[in-house]
Amino acid sequence: MTLMVFDSGLGGLSILREVRAVLPDLPIVYVADDAAFPYGDWREDELVPRILDVVAAAIDRHAPQLVIVACNTASTLVMEPLRERFDIPFVGTVPAIKPAAEQTASGLISVLATPGTVKREYTHDLIDKFAASAEVRLVGSDALAAVAEDHLTGGTVDMDLVRDEIAPCFVERAGAKTDIVVLACTHYPFLINVFRKVAPWPVDWLDPAEAIARRALELAGGGAPAAGEPHQPDRAEFTSGTPSPAAARLVAGFGLVA
Ligand code: DGL
């Protein structure tokens, strides 16, 4: 049994590390559509066929039994067509608006995502359905996914840029303050320490990775490899062909052979 984890770039590694913790014995293939990164500002009518093509080709190559779409920008768009087209289970990653609405004390929550995710009908439906009692501020950042990739591959983070990008998440209204920021892009958990440093006040940064991993565990049915199945190394594939040396080092640190 092979498990596939898919993202536009390196952000899905924040999901992979939690999935590994609950399914340590399953071989994983990580597929990064880095040739098309970032997905955040793609037009929806162009992004859907792009993702379907990349995922279809990867499914052909690896025949996974379970696919995790470790990308909000993709999941808010393609889960339905993927499920229609392939007869295997998919786990999507969508903004954790429901738990945020359940947990907020102040009633002010923010969703930090890519510009694509904040535009999606899917995201607006989640707010209507699950967060009617809260005030939800949607914040789409053009820059942060790339900042996270740079940071992950050894680059220096521009703290002022990050401060400016997250500033709209912090709302003060009639003595109440935003108390939860949903990390609705899988790249952002890698910037959490920077966010904490530049945030105007402390908040809960809601990362959905553990919940995604629990769902993957349920669908993988325990996650034991089939008896006699040879142990395969976990792999990473990049649609650009060859990852940069820094990206190759990074994925090697996550135990993946590029
Ligand atoms: N990691 C992706 C997400 O969760 C997005 C990054 C990108 O813009 O490609 O939305």
Side-chain angles (χ1 to χ4, degrees), residues 7-9 11-12 37-41 70-74 114 117 145 184-187:
D7 183 32
S8 57
F37 177 85
Y39 277 172
D41 51 9
C71 174
N72 294 257
T73 314
T114 66
T117 299
C185 171
T186 53
H187 282 72

Side-chain angles (χ1 to χ4, degrees), residues 1-2 25-28 225-235:
M1 172 160 193
T2 299
D25 296 324
L26 283 190
I28 295 182
E229 214 174 76
H231 180 78
Q232 299 167 18
D234 293 340
R235 283 157 296 163

